[in-house]
Amino acid sequence: MVKDSTSNKMIPKAFYSIGINQYAIEVAYPLLTYESNEKVTVIFETEHPSKASVYRFWGYWLHWEELIGSIIAAIVLFQIAVSITNNPTESAMKEQMDYIPEKKTKYD
């Protein structure tokens, strides 16, 4: 836990070092709490060691931005599907009205 200089709040940070370089990342994810001096696993890119994340399901595999984006995409696609099925074209309506089901045997 590190005290933030602007807001004077305690913010959880993860510190890690690669060789002589030391890095720190903020790990304040919603719905996650950390204890002071808790050991966590940090995953980083070898090309860009400053791009790192704590290895947990929430915060590494799943982010708020991705979750909200997925929900918005699902709502938009659902609305598109509803608008397409509620307003069929004239040729589609004619095709549905002209459809005559063929007779089938019971065990086809």
Side-chain angles (χ1 to χ4, degrees):
M1 302 297 270
V2 176
K3 191 172 190 177
D4 186 23
S5 61
T6 58
S7 64
N8 290 329
K9 291 183 180 179
M10 296 301 281
I11 297 176
K13 284 197 171 194
F15 297 95
Y16 60 100
S17 61
I18 304 165
I20 59 171
N21 298 328
Q22 292 187 350
Y23 301 94
I25 58 167
E26 286 189 28
V27 292
Y29 301 118
L31 307 174
L32 276 182
T33 57
Y34 292 98
E35 299 290 323
S36 186
N37 294 328
E38 180 181 348
K39 292 190 185 271
V40 294
T41 303
V42 176
I43 294 186
F44 59 90
E45 295 180 21
T46 55
E47 297 288 323
H48 307 283
S50 60
K51 292 182 180 180
S53 182
V54 173
Y55 186 67
R56 288 202 171 174
F57 182 74
W58 184 254
Y60 180 71
W61 292 105
L62 188 64
H63 291 274
W64 272 114
E65 299 86 15
E66 296 168 347
L67 185 64
I68 291 172
S70 298
I71 291 170
I72 290 172
I75 290 171
V76 167
L77 291 174
F78 177 75
Q79 291 299 327
I80 290 170
V82 166
S83 70
I84 289 172
T85 55
N86 283 344
N87 301 319
T89 61
E90 229 175 275
S91 61
M93 284 297 292
K94 185 178 181 310
E95 186 179 326
Q96 285 182 358
M97 297 303 237
D98 293 342
Y99 177 72
I100 300 171
E102 62 183 64
K103 292 188 175 188
K104 295 183 180 179
T105 59
K106 187 173 183 178
Y107 299 105
D108 200 15

